[in-house]
């Protein structure tokens, strides 16, 4: 019986099955950050439990951290307390922590892969919905709540009900200027923000295989924005090459053994998924979100939709509300709307390839007067690599703020926020009301589109940018 | 874990789809290291004017008739977005015991059960009707997990589906970590067979 990659990983991690109950799954890697863990550690203390496998648990600080110089004091006392709580908890329970002074610190979903912790075939969890990012390596990775964080800390296992499987096949080749970000925005626009709820999605097809590991991470990262439990991409030579030599990658004989095992992971020919969605890559334009949900997207060449375009009454009301919140008028080109801020960063698009792509557009140009632009590398290693390549100089010369690593304006838990009414082209993942600051208006785009928008002062079609 | 058997009380309608966890509890309130006290921040940006203290008179739950509501009726894909368990903590602390919606995001749905909140799935047409009925002051509902029924003060009665194991755990307020730890020998046996190269954060 041919099996999907998901089925193979699932079956390899079942510790125990009891009729009428969820399966007990073993977790190979548990990533921890400061915001969703303090109550879990407190739970352990209250029940006298230990962290079962500190060796399979890694913590960092990302959500709260200021992105100004690390030598400055942290002014937000509540954030500081939360970071100190993580330090104390990691020390007490013996968990490895990369704090804000570590050369390995960064967004948890950026550092996992770059440390070689993220590997094919693993089960990976974190108290963060964007844990789906790690699926780009063929790992079954999903976000969990704080009660489940405590569960994994205490038992290294998690009871899980079997999800359904969905294949999203992206056929053909992407056009010039179209990126992984545009693929995933197009997918969410097509299936909706609850289109994959209850499913683990496997992305397949020529356009997915052609993506770099960074691009694959961008795709899997936003699986949650379509409601998916997890996103998966089959590992291949690109995956192995990315991992080899990383700090925690298997070495020597273990490397060979691991790769041999990873080669068995891809779905078997003829394996059955519960649902299939197909897209043609050649038809995907650069996408931009216009509303307050990641499903509210249009091609950059498109017009802002009207509530009347929606068949369902509840969706119509949501569109009306979104237009009002976003300060937009139906039927207008999204390219005419003036921006205040451009943010490049996040676990979606804060990796080195994203910074290279943005810098490639910015080189020799300057951010339009009145635009606040900041670039926040996804991790300290990304920042150092970018500086070694001189990308920081390109950004700074263009008028961008060059910051320290963290989640930053993706969710605005630290001081990097939008003011009410401010409009931002952002490489992040969520355009919810108030996501980047109360009253802030977010347009999700690729790094190239964000960079071009910063120069123009409004969103532009990157495909026509070179001709300008 | 908190148990849930049955709740009867005021039902409040929140007629919006895709209400995400950023709306349920905005990020500035995620910095606390306790599990308690989040109710005051529930739906904060919708609930208060720009000054953060004046209640927004337009917001549904600020209507005096919904004060003390224990059942929340809302649109599809409730709780989408961030995995923050602060969302059910805030809903529970505010006083909600049960939620009625056509669908929920996975992580939020799961988080509710860990915190004594019962998220009930009902058909979209049923929810549309209940949202309408909820506009009447004093509209009362009963959500009964034991019998798996939702009823209201106007004669509405409908059964609902829930996973039997989740139901069992919620009815009894079971500590699911304790349940897993009963299988310690199975976990140890599994660990003994894990390949050596799965070292986690220990360099080879």
């Amino acid at each position: 019986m041919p099996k999907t990659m998901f089925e193979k990983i699932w079956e390899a991690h079942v510790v125990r099955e009891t009729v009428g109950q969820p399966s007990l799954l073993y977790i190979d890697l548990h990533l921890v950050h400061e915001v969703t863990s303090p109550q879990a550690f407190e739970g352990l203390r209250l029940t006298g439990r230990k962290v079962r496998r500190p060796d399979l648990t890694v913590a960092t600080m990302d959500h709260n951290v200021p992105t100004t110089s690390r030598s400055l004091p942290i002014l937000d006392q509540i954030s500081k307390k939360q970071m100190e709580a993580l330090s104390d908890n990691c020390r007490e329970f013996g968990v490895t922590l990369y704090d804000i002074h570590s050369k390995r610190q960064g967004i948890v979903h950026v550092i996992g892969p770059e440390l070689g912790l993220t590997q094919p075939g693993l089960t990976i969890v974190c108290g963060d919905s964007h844990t789906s990012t790690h699926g780009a390596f063929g790992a079954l990775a999903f976000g969990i709540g704080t009660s489940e964080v405590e569960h994994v800390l205490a038992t290294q296992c998690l009871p899980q009900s079997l999800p359904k499987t969905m294949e999203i096949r992206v056929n053909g080749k992407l056009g010039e200027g179209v990126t992984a970000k545009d693929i995933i925005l197009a997918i969410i626009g097509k299936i909706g923000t609850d289109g994959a709820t209850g499913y683990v999605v496997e992305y397949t097809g020529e356009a997915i295989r052609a993506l770099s590991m960074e691009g694959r991470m961008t795709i899997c990262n936003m699986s949650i924005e379509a409601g998916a439990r997890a996103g998966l991409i089959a590992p291949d030579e690109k995956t192995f090459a990315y991992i080899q030599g990383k700090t925690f990658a298997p070495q020597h004989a273990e490397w060979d053994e691991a790769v041999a095992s990873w080669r068995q992971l891809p779905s078997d020919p003829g394996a059955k998924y519960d649902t299939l969605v197909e897209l043609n890559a050649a038809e995907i334009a650069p996408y931009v979100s216009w509303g307050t949900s990641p499903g509210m997207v249009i091609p950059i060449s498109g017009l802002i939709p009207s509530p009347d375009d929606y068949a369902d009454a509840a969706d119509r009301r949501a569109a009306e509300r979104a237009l009002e919140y976003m300060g937009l008028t139906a039927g207008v080109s999204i390219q005419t709307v003036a921006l205040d801020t451009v943010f490049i960063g996040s676990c979606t698009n804060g990796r080195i390839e994203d910074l290279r792509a943005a810098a490639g557009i910015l080189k020799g140009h300057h951010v339009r007067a009145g635009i606040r632009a900041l670039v926040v590398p996804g991790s300290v290693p990304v920042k150092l690599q970018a500086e070694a390549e001189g990308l920081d100089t390109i950004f700074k010369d263009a008028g961008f703020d060059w910051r320290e690593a963290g989640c930053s304006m993706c969710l605005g838990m630290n001081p990097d926020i939008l003011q009410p009414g401010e409009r931002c082209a952002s490489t992040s993942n969520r355009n919810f009301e108030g996501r980047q600051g109360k009253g802030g208006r977010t347009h999700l785009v690729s790094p190239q589109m964000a960079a071009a928008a910063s120069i123009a002062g409004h969103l532009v079609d990157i495909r026509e940018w070179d001709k300008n | 874990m908190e148990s849930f058997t049955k709740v009867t009380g005021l039902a409040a309608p929140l007629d919006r789809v895709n209400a995400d966890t950023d709306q349920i509890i905005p990020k500035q309130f995620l910095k606390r290291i306790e599990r308690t006290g989040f109710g005051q921040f529930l739906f904060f940006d919708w609930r208060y004017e720009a000054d953060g203290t004046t209640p927004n008179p337009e917001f549904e739950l600020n209507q005096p008739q919904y004060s003390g509501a224990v059942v929340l009726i809302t649109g599809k894909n409730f709780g989408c977005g961030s995995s923050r368990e602060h969302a059910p903590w805030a809903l529970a602390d505010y006083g909600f015991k049960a939620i009625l919606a056509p669908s929920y995001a996975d992580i939020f749905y799961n988080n509710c059960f860990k915190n004594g909140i019962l998220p009930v799935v009902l058909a979209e047409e049923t929810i549309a009707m209940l949202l309408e009925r909820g506009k009447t002051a004093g509209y009362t509902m009963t959500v009964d997990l034991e019998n798996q029924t939702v009823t209201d003060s106007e004669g509405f009665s409908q059964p609902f589906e829930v996973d039997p194991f989740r139901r069992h755990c919620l009815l009894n307020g079971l500590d699911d970590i304790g349940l897993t730890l009963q299988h310690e020998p199975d976990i140890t046996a599994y660990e003994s067979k894990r390949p050596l190269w799965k070292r986690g954060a220990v360099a080879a």
Side-chain angles (χ1 to χ4, degrees):
Chain A
M1 178 88 172
K3 287 179 183 169
T4 63
M5 178 164 56
F6 164 75
E7 289 165 328
K8 294 180 194 181
I9 301 172
W10 178 277
E11 286 169 11
H13 288 85
V14 172
V15 170
R16 183 187 167 92
E17 282 192 296
T18 311
V19 176
Q21 290 187 19
S23 304
L24 191 62
L25 285 196
Y26 198 81
I27 303 302
D28 292 313
L29 179 66
H30 185 190
L31 302 168
V32 173
H33 65 84
E34 77 276 21
V35 176
T36 57
S37 65
Q39 296 87 351
F41 283 111
E42 182 61 15
L44 294 184
R45 265 191 293 272
L46 291 172
T47 49
R49 289 167 178 151
K50 301 262 175 284
V51 174
R52 183 179 177 90
R53 294 296 299 264
D55 55 326
L56 304 182
T57 311
V58 178
T60 191
M61 298 171 177
D62 54 5
H63 283 62
N64 253 319
V65 302
T67 56
T68 44
S69 170
R70 294 287 192 247
S71 60
L72 295 171
I74 296 168
L75 298 174
D76 180 339
Q77 291 306 308
I78 313 175
S79 290
K80 188 165 175 245
K81 195 172 155 200
Q82 200 171 50
M83 288 183 250
E84 285 168 356
L86 182 63
S87 297
D88 294 346
N89 286 328
C90 288
R91 199 175 311 115
E92 180 180 343
F93 289 95
V95 172
T96 300
L97 168 68
Y98 302 125
D99 70 11
I100 58 165
H101 302 295
S102 167
K103 290 284 174 244
R104 292 174 175 176
Q105 179 267 342
I107 306 175
V108 66
H109 310 308
V110 175
I111 72 167
E114 74 192 1
L115 286 168
L117 290 164
T118 302
Q119 298 168 14
L122 300 186
T123 46
I124 302 176
V125 297
C126 173
D128 189 281
S129 60
H130 291 112
T131 308
S132 57
T133 311
H134 307 267
F137 292 78
L140 178 61
F142 51 92
I144 57 178
T146 297
S147 295
E148 291 176 312
V149 168
E150 184 180 339
H151 202 125
V152 177
L153 289 173
T155 69
Q156 205 58 34
C157 294
L158 208 52
Q160 286 287 300
S161 305
L162 188 68
K164 294 177 282 186
T165 55
M166 177 185 289
E167 179 185 6
I168 298 185
R169 198 184 298 159
V170 189
N171 298 307
K173 290 185 173 64
L174 285 177
E176 193 68 28
V178 186
T179 68
K181 183 65 163 284
D182 304 304
I183 296 179
I184 190 64
L185 288 176
I187 289 171
I188 301 164
K190 184 182 170 89
I191 69 174
T193 51
D194 56 357
T197 301
Y199 288 90
V200 165
V201 172
E202 183 180 341
Y203 301 95
T204 66
E206 186 186 353
I208 300 294
R209 299 258 58 89
L211 292 174
S212 65
M213 290 313 296
E214 283 87 349
R216 293 177 187 182
M217 284 188 255
T218 301
I219 300 259
C220 287
N221 172 275
M222 288 190 73
S223 300
I224 183 69
E225 261 57 70
R229 193 85 184 104
L232 281 171
I233 293 176
D236 58 14
E237 297 306 321
K238 264 185 223 177
T239 318
F240 309 149
Y242 181 99
I243 299 169
Q244 192 163 27
K246 296 268 193 294
T247 307
F248 295 112
Q251 289 182 28
H252 313 298
E254 285 188 3
W255 171 258
D256 297 335
E257 196 190 326
V259 172
S261 145
W262 297 342
R263 286 190 198 285
Q264 305 303 313
L265 287 170
S267 295
D268 298 327
K272 293 273 184 292
Y273 301 83
D274 295 306
T275 307
L276 167 69
V277 173
E278 280 190 277
L279 283 85
N280 181 355
E283 290 170 8
I284 299 175
Y287 264 72
V288 52
S289 69
W290 62 268
T292 53
S293 161
M296 293 173 166
V297 292
I298 48 171
I300 184 64
S301 48
L303 302 179
I304 296 164
S306 157
D308 298 337
D309 299 343
Y310 294 84
D312 179 71
D315 289 336
R316 222 165 21 243
R317 282 197 300 279
E320 275 167 20
R321 208 187 137 76
L323 284 175
E324 188 191 334
Y325 179 88
M326 293 297 290
L328 295 174
T329 311
V332 172
S333 164
I334 192 102
Q335 298 185 51
T336 62
V337 184
L339 298 166
D340 304 295
T341 301
V342 172
F343 170 66
I344 297 175
S346 85
C347 58
T348 309
N349 281 124
R351 284 170 286 268
I352 188 67
E353 184 184 274
D354 302 312
L355 269 47
R356 285 178 190 145
I361 301 288
L362 287 169
K363 193 168 188 176
H365 292 273
H366 200 276
V367 167
R368 191 175 174 89
I371 300 266
R372 170 171 63 141
L374 67 162
V375 53
V376 180
S379 69
V380 174
V382 168
K383 179 170 187 271
L384 296 177
Q385 176 66 30
E387 288 170 351
E389 296 178 19
L391 304 184
D392 59 323
T393 309
I394 296 174
F395 281 112
K396 285 186 274 192
D397 288 350
F400 268 76
D401 257 11
W402 178 248
R403 298 293 188 88
E404 298 291 335
C407 297
S408 178
M409 201 185 268
C410 173
L411 84 164
M413 264 193 87
N414 77 345
D416 307 333
I417 57 169
L418 294 180
Q419 295 306 311
E422 275 190 339
R423 189 178 299 281
C424 178
S426 178
T427 66
S428 56
N429 42 58
R430 287 184 177 140
N431 51 340
F432 298 151
E433 284 181 34
R435 172 76 177 181
Q436 297 190 289
K438 183 168 178 164
R441 295 161 168 167
T442 304
H443 295 284
L444 303 174
V445 288
S446 71
Q448 289 90 324
M449 290 274 286
S454 74
I455 301 166
H458 57 85
L459 293 163
V460 293
D461 190 336
I462 191 72
R463 294 169 299 182
E464 288 157 19
W465 183 251
D466 286 344
K467 299 171 202 155
N468 288 352
Chain B
M1 193 169 90
E2 284 281 309
S3 68
F4 178 104
T5 46
K6 179 176 164 178
V7 67
T8 298
L10 283 179
L14 182 71
D15 189 6
R16 306 185 191 208
V17 295
N18 300 319
D20 57 79
T21 53
D22 272 81
Q23 306 315 314
I24 299 173
I25 178 101
K27 77 295 231 112
Q28 63 268 36
F29 307 114
L30 309 185
K31 297 175 185 179
R32 297 158 66 94
I33 55 177
E34 303 85 19
R35 261 177 199 261
T36 51
F38 288 98
Q40 56 188 311
F41 311 124
L42 180 73
F43 296 120
F44 192 84
D45 288 352
W46 288 348
R47 199 166 141 194
Y48 295 103
E49 301 281 7
D51 64 5
T53 52
T54 312
N56 170 9
E58 306 277 293
F59 183 56
E60 295 91 320
L61 299 186
N62 285 342
Q63 312 306 313
Q65 69 185 74
Y66 300 124
S67 170
V70 291
V71 177
L72 182 69
I73 312 164
T74 190
K76 68 182 174 187
N77 201 26
F78 188 69
C80 60
S82 158
S83 63
R84 58 189 70 168
E85 198 162 318
H86 310 68
W89 294 340
L91 286 160
D93 191 48
Y94 184 88
F96 287 116
K97 307 273 185 225
I99 309 172
L100 312 177
S103 62
Y104 302 88
D106 272 346
I107 305 174
F108 174 80
Y109 185 76
N110 206 24
N111 284 340
C112 283
F113 283 93
K114 312 278 183 195
N115 292 282
I117 296 181
L118 175 63
V120 174
V121 177
L122 294 174
E124 214 150 349
E125 312 80 69
T126 309
I127 290 294
M129 183 199 73
L130 297 178
L131 282 168
E132 216 31 57
R133 287 191 180 190
K135 289 179 182 168
T136 311
Y139 179 65
T140 305
M141 299 193 83
T142 296
V143 182
D144 183 339
L145 179 57
E146 188 93 60
N147 295 304
Q148 292 179 232
T149 55
V150 178
T151 51
D152 76 1
S153 44
E154 298 173 22
F156 167 84
S157 176
Q158 192 157 316
F160 64 86
E161 295 292 317
V162 60
D163 173 74
F165 186 69
R166 285 187 194 272
R167 176 175 172 274
H168 171 72
C169 290
L170 193 52
L171 281 173
N172 297 291
L174 295 182
D175 165 21
D176 58 355
I177 297 178
L179 291 181
T180 296
L181 286 173
Q182 289 174 6
H183 305 310
E184 216 280 331
D186 294 315
I187 303 173
T188 303
Y190 181 89
E191 285 177 329
S192 70
K193 289 183 288 193
R194 289 178 78 242
L196 273 180
W197 54 264
K198 293 189 177 181
R199 291 173 186 274
V202 180

mmCIF file of all heavy atoms in Angstrom, chain A residues 126-140:
data_model
loop_
_atom_site.group_PDB
_atom_site.id
_atom_site.type_symbol
_atom_site.label_atom_id
_atom_site.label_comp_id
_atom_site.label_asym_id
_atom_site.label_seq_id
_atom_site.Cartn_x
_atom_site.Cartn_y
_atom_site.Cartn_z
ATOM 1 N N CYS A 126 6.310 23.596 18.702
ATOM 2 C CA CYS A 126 6.692 24.833 19.378
ATOM 3 C C CYS A 126 5.398 25.559 19.710
ATOM 4 O O CYS A 126 4.419 25.440 18.967
ATOM 5 C CB CYS A 126 7.563 25.680 18.447
ATOM 6 S SG CYS A 126 7.958 27.334 19.079
ATOM 7 N N GLY A 127 5.389 26.298 20.773
ATOM 8 C CA GLY A 127 4.213 27.075 21.129
ATOM 9 C C GLY A 127 4.111 28.304 20.258
ATOM 10 O O GLY A 127 4.160 29.438 20.722
ATOM 11 N N ASP A 128 3.992 28.054 18.969
ATOM 12 C CA ASP A 128 3.918 29.132 17.980
ATOM 13 C C ASP A 128 3.344 28.557 16.700
ATOM 14 O O ASP A 128 3.816 27.532 16.212
ATOM 15 C CB ASP A 128 5.313 29.697 17.728
ATOM 16 C CG ASP A 128 5.246 30.954 16.882
ATOM 17 O OD1 ASP A 128 5.094 30.836 15.648
ATOM 18 O OD2 ASP A 128 5.308 32.048 17.445
ATOM 19 N N SER A 129 2.342 29.240 16.158
ATOM 20 C CA SER A 129 1.634 28.670 15.008
ATOM 21 C C SER A 129 2.513 28.537 13.762
ATOM 22 O O SER A 129 2.252 27.695 12.912
ATOM 23 C CB SER A 129 0.404 29.517 14.692
ATOM 24 O OG SER A 129 0.787 30.830 14.393
ATOM 25 N N HIS A 130 3.560 29.360 13.665
ATOM 26 C CA HIS A 130 4.402 29.293 12.464
ATOM 27 C C HIS A 130 5.448 28.179 12.509
ATOM 28 O O HIS A 130 6.363 28.137 11.670
ATOM 29 C CB HIS A 130 5.028 30.658 12.187
ATOM 30 C CG HIS A 130 3.978 31.636 11.748
ATOM 31 N ND1 HIS A 130 3.603 32.706 12.508
ATOM 32 C CD2 HIS A 130 3.186 31.648 10.653
ATOM 33 C CE1 HIS A 130 2.625 33.353 11.896
ATOM 34 N NE2 HIS A 130 2.339 32.733 10.777
ATOM 35 N N THR A 131 5.289 27.274 13.454
ATOM 36 C CA THR A 131 6.142 26.078 13.512
ATOM 37 C C THR A 131 6.032 25.276 12.220
ATOM 38 O O THR A 131 6.927 24.504 11.882
ATOM 39 C CB THR A 131 5.735 25.229 14.736
ATOM 40 O OG1 THR A 131 5.728 26.080 15.874
ATOM 41 C CG2 THR A 131 6.675 24.071 14.970
ATOM 42 N N SER A 132 4.943 25.481 11.494
ATOM 43 C CA SER A 132 4.777 24.811 10.198
ATOM 44 C C SER A 132 5.948 25.079 9.246
ATOM 45 O O SER A 132 6.176 24.308 8.314
ATOM 46 C CB SER A 132 3.470 25.272 9.544
ATOM 47 O OG SER A 132 3.446 26.680 9.406
ATOM 48 N N THR A 133 6.717 26.134 9.502
ATOM 49 C CA THR A 133 7.897 26.476 8.685
ATOM 50 C C THR A 133 8.809 25.265 8.454
ATOM 51 O O THR A 133 9.320 25.051 7.342
ATOM 52 C CB THR A 133 8.739 27.561 9.407
ATOM 53 O OG1 THR A 133 7.882 28.610 9.824
ATOM 54 C CG2 THR A 133 9.838 28.093 8.519
ATOM 55 N N HIS A 134 9.030 24.494 9.527
ATOM 56 C CA HIS A 134 10.024 23.414 9.492
ATOM 57 C C HIS A 134 9.602 22.269 8.569
ATOM 58 O O HIS A 134 10.406 21.395 8.254
ATOM 59 C CB HIS A 134 10.281 22.900 10.911
ATOM 60 C CG HIS A 134 10.629 23.995 11.872
ATOM 61 N ND1 HIS A 134 11.922 24.363 12.150
ATOM 62 C CD2 HIS A 134 9.840 24.851 12.573
ATOM 63 C CE1 HIS A 134 11.914 25.387 13.003
ATOM 64 N NE2 HIS A 134 10.661 25.694 13.276
ATOM 65 N N GLY A 135 8.331 22.281 8.161
ATOM 66 C CA GLY A 135 7.849 21.276 7.218
ATOM 67 C C GLY A 135 8.563 21.338 5.878
ATOM 68 O O GLY A 135 8.529 20.373 5.101
ATOM 69 N N ALA A 136 9.230 22.459 5.609
ATOM 70 C CA ALA A 136 9.986 22.609 4.364
ATOM 71 C C ALA A 136 11.078 21.561 4.222
ATOM 72 O O ALA A 136 11.565 21.296 3.119
ATOM 73 C CB ALA A 136 10.600 24.003 4.299
ATOM 74 N N PHE A 137 11.477 20.961 5.361
ATOM 75 C CA PHE A 137 12.529 19.938 5.341
ATOM 76 C C PHE A 137 11.947 18.523 5.336
ATOM 77 O O PHE A 137 12.679 17.549 5.439
ATOM 78 C CB PHE A 137 13.437 20.111 6.561
ATOM 79 C CG PHE A 137 14.257 21.372 6.501
ATOM 80 C CD1 PHE A 137 13.696 22.602 6.807
ATOM 81 C CD2 PHE A 137 15.589 21.330 6.111
ATOM 82 C CE1 PHE A 137 14.439 23.773 6.714
ATOM 83 C CE2 PHE A 137 16.339 22.487 6.018
ATOM 84 C CZ PHE A 137 15.758 23.707 6.321
ATOM 85 N N GLY A 138 10.617 18.430 5.252
ATOM 86 C CA GLY A 138 10.010 17.108 5.357
ATOM 87 C C GLY A 138 9.903 16.656 6.803
ATOM 88 O O GLY A 138 9.972 15.468 7.108
ATOM 89 N N ALA A 139 9.769 17.625 7.707
ATOM 90 C CA ALA A 139 9.528 17.320 9.120
ATOM 91 C C ALA A 139 8.051 17.604 9.396
ATOM 92 O O ALA A 139 7.491 18.534 8.826
ATOM 93 C CB ALA A 139 10.397 18.194 10.017
ATOM 94 N N LEU A 140 7.443 16.809 10.266
ATOM 95 C CA LEU A 140 6.059 17.070 10.654
ATOM 96 C C LEU A 140 6.097 18.060 11.816
ATOM 97 O O LEU A 140 6.456 17.703 12.934
ATOM 98 C CB LEU A 140 5.361 15.772 11.067
ATOM 99 C CG LEU A 140 3.904 15.939 11.534
ATOM 100 C CD1 LEU A 140 3.029 16.526 10.437
ATOM 101 C CD2 LEU A 140 3.345 14.601 12.009
#
